């Protein structure tokens, strides 16, 4: 999970590296995408039309060109007929020349029309695809972290690139193609009937013979295509997980290269089998169509010969018919499978629509309540219960993680969360940032429930600094200014200074313009944390949600972070997961969290007064060097003094 991927806040996921879950788990997690509420074909079609409508101009011209192309395609067999029945018997070579020129020019102009039609079809199709991709992207940005937790990145990418990309073929070949085929078949049959209704009848009899096998194999082929598509999705998932930087780190640190190779071999093999099966189904169809295609000429020539012998038609008509028949096979067989391929095409759209239809678990406020212009009552938790989604959507819930959490981080105060690992501290921070909504109770910011605060207003008032910092593949300056792109040069310089990044900037080859991030310059853990602090500083938001990094740093690096943090905390209302002595020392309120409940609360000094979890934690985690509880009172006193000193300063 990565907050950075969602483009939010101060970067970094709260829970670090992605799990390399098994394929089974992924498939279970993805079921929500596959079984989304079944839509009627008409409904999907109507939805597709909404996208096509935007391009009705080029769509209409393209359709007109297509019709003209079909009309032109009907002419050559008529010219051939004239050649055989008129020019040759009469020995009229001039006419033969004219007809010959026509046989050359007509297909030529047809080709030019096809060119124009293909161009327009691509303009329409690519326009629609780009619109869909943009909509999809905007929508995924509005989705909650449950979506990013439960949907493998590969699956998201497949829907964006593969599925959306395939829509070009669906739109031009399936939708546009079916229309063209329909017009071709009807137009050709009408002209054929005008020339010889008897032969047309014979030809029309042969045509339905196609329908059955084409339909049957078309359906099987469609199923095979779907399986192949899924197998490719699995392949992409494994690739994007294990070959990403964080995935690679996990694989290397656990030495699971062989296991991952075996897993890859498995999905790779599945993809191979699915592709072969898909191609084979396609080949069967071609063989059957070829066999049946032989039936047509056999019927035509035999019956045609009979008609010529009995003087009912001329030779040229048979040749013209043979040409028409040859022209008909392809569109007619496509039409026989049109139903299946149209459904398949719609299914492709449906895959994209399904993603568009996932409701955000953290919906935007319909009628937002504006926050008071200055902070008034801080961050308040009122009897908050919370469960994490165990899948995408609010109906899948896991065990209760927070229970009856109530506290206030009053303006200007520092509230520290401490507690054992897994107690629920990060979850409290996530709720305060509205990455999730609570099941019961409310979280308020300056008296307004978070659910009613407009998203941008919330982000402006709240800065988030997480433990793992996600850097975008961009310059250091862009990474720092991520949350405040309009920041002026002087402001950026000020935060670089305040976040103790000055040395780093002078050391980097291109200073602030050095490209950092996944594939760029490596920053140390401490440096990344300071970048996160700089980001938050630049936001100048009055509230700060801080997840102090636990990574053990050498004393100099630690000191720098300390200094940077002090600048960050100054003058802000802070809700912090504390890992540092200095933080709990200066906290106005410490909340001790255990098993999703606040079990103790008070200042450092108050909490040390009675033996409880805090005391245990304190000696184990924050001050392991201080030996024994006899010195407890002294320690409490000295911290108290320290805080007072700093406050006065
Ligand atoms: P730590 O100090 O180790 O970070 P924490 O006190 O911050 O721990 P949380 O991260 O809030 O604890 O986790 C509280 C509980 O919620 C844990 O049992 C954890 O397994 C669970 N949990 C955390 N994130 C998720 C998630 N995205 N989905 C489901 N359960 C989660």
């Amino acid at each position: 999970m990565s907050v950075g991927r969602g483009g939010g806040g101060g970067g970094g996921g709260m829970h670090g590296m992605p799990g390399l879950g098994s394929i089974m788990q992924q498939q279970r997690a993805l079921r929500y995408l596959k079984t989304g509420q079944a839509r009627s074909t008409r409904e999907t079609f109507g939805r597709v039309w909404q996208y096509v409508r935007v391009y009705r101009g080029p769509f209409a011209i393209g359709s007109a060109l297509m019709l003209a192309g079909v009309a032109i395609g009907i002419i050559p067999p008529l010219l051939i007929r004239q050649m055989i029945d008129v020019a040759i018997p009469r020995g009229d070579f001039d006419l033969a020349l004219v007809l010959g020129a026509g046989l050359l020019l007509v297909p030529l102009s047809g080709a030019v029309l096809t060119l124009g039609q293909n161009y327009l079809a691509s303009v329409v199709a690519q326009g629609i695809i780009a619109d869909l991709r943009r909509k999809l992207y905007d929508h995924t940005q509005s989705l909650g972290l449950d979506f990013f937790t439960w949907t493998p990145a590969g699956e998201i990418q497949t829907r964006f690139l593969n599925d959306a990309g395939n829509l070009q073929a669906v739109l031009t070949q399936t939708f546009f193609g079916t229309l063209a085929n329909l017009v071709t078949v009807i137009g050709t049959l009408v002209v054929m009937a005008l020339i010889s209704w008897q032969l047309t009848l014979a030809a029309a009899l042969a045509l339905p013979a196609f329908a059955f096998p084409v339909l049957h194999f078309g359906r099987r082929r469609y199923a095979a295509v779907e399986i192949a598509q899924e197998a490719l999705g699995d392949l992409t998932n494994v690739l994007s997980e294990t070959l990403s930087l964080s995935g690679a780190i996990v694989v290397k640190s656990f030495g699971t290269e062989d296991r991952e190779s075996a897993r890859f071999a498995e999905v790779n093999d599945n993809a191979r089998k699915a592709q072969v099966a898909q191609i084979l189904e396609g080949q069967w169809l071609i063989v059957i169509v070829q066999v049946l295609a032989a039936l047509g000429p056999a019927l035509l020539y035999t019956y045609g010969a009979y008609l010529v012998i009995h003087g009912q038609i001329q030779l040229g008509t048979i040749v013209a018919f043979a040409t028409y028949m040859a022209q008909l096979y392809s569109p007619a067989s496509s039409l026989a499978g049109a139903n299946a391929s149209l459904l398949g095409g719609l299914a492709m759209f449906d895959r994209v629509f399904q993603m568009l239809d996932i409701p955000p678990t953290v919906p935007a406020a319909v009628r937002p309540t504006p926050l008071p212009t200055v902070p008034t009552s801080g961050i308040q938790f009122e009897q908050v219960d919370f469960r994490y989604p165990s899948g995408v959507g609010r109906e899948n819930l896991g065990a209760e993680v927070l229970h009856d959490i109530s506290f206030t981080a009053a303006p200007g105060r520092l509230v520290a969360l401490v507690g054992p690992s897994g107690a629920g501290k990060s979850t409290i921070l996530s709720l305060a940032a509205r990455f999730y909504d609570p099941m019961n109770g409310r979280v308020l910011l300056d008296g307004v429930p978070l659910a009613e605060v407009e998203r941008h207003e919330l982000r402006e008032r709240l800065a988030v600094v997480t433990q793992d910092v996600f850097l975008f593949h961009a310059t250091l300056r862009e990474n720092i200014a991520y949350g405040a792109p309009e920041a002026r040069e002087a402001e950026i310089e000020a935060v670089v200074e305040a976040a103790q990044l000055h040395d780093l900037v002078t050391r980097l080859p291109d200073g602030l313009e050095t490209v950092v991030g996944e594939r760029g310059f490596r920053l140390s853990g401490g440096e990344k944390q300071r970048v996160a602090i700089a980001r938050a500083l630049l936001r100048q938001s009055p509230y700060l949600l801080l997840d102090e990094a636990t990574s053990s740093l050498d004393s100099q690096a630690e000191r720098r972070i300390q200094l940077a943090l002090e600048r960050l905390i100054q003058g802000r209302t802070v809700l912090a997961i504390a890992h540092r002595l200095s933080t709990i020392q200066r906290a106005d309120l410490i909340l001790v969290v255990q098993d999703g409940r606040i079990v103790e609360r008070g200042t450092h000094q108050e909490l040390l007064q009675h033996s409880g979890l805090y005391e245990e934690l304190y000696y184990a985690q924050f001050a392991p060097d201080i030996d024994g509880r006899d010195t407890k009172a002294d320690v409490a006193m000295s911290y108290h003094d320290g805080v007072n000193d700093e406050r006065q300063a």
Side-chain angles (χ1 to χ4, degrees), residues 1 14-15 149-150 388-389 401 419-428 436 467 577 579:
M1 173 185 88
M14 292 203 170
H15 287 277
T149 312
W150 289 96
Y388 273 105
V401 171
S421 180
K425 304 177 297 285
S426 305
T427 310
I428 293 181
Y436 302 97
Q467 279 204 30
I577 299 178
H579 290 295

Side-chain angles (χ1 to χ4, degrees), residues 249-300:
I249 291 174
V250 181
V251 171
K252 287 193 195 309
S253 33
F254 289 94
T256 48
E257 288 90 346
D258 291 346
R259 200 171 76 202
E260 292 303 337
S261 284
R263 190 176 132 200
F264 182 77
E266 189 191 323
V267 285
N268 192 29
D269 208 44
N270 284 344
R272 174 183 64 82
K273 284 185 204 143
Q275 290 290 348
V276 169
Q278 178 206 332
I279 293 166
L280 208 65
E281 288 295 354
Q283 293 307 313
W284 268 116
L285 195 61
I286 293 174
V287 168
I288 289 186
V289 167
Q290 276 173 348
V291 171
L292 283 173
L295 185 73
L299 214 69
L300 174 76

Side-chain angles (χ1 to χ4, degrees), residues 341-358:
S341 60
L342 278 178
L343 284 180
L346 286 179
M348 199 64 99
F349 267 98
D350 243 356
R351 269 174 70 83
V352 176
F353 289 152
Q354 275 164 10
M355 201 125 154
L356 274 176
D357 288 344
I358 300 170

Side-chain angles (χ1 to χ4, degrees), residues 119-140:
Y119 169 73
L120 287 170
S122 298
V123 166
V124 173
Q126 289 302 327
I128 293 172
I129 290 167
D131 290 350
L132 265 172
R133 270 202 296 253
R134 204 188 54 233
K135 221 168 163 199
L136 208 55
Y137 190 78
D138 289 351
H139 182 69
T140 40

Side-chain angles (χ1 to χ4, degrees), residues 195 247 266 292 337 363 375 391 441 452 454 551 553 621 627:
I195 302 173
E266 189 191 323
L292 283 173
E452 290 173 23
E454 207 267 324
S551 47
L553 298 164
Q621 195 184 328
D627 194 22

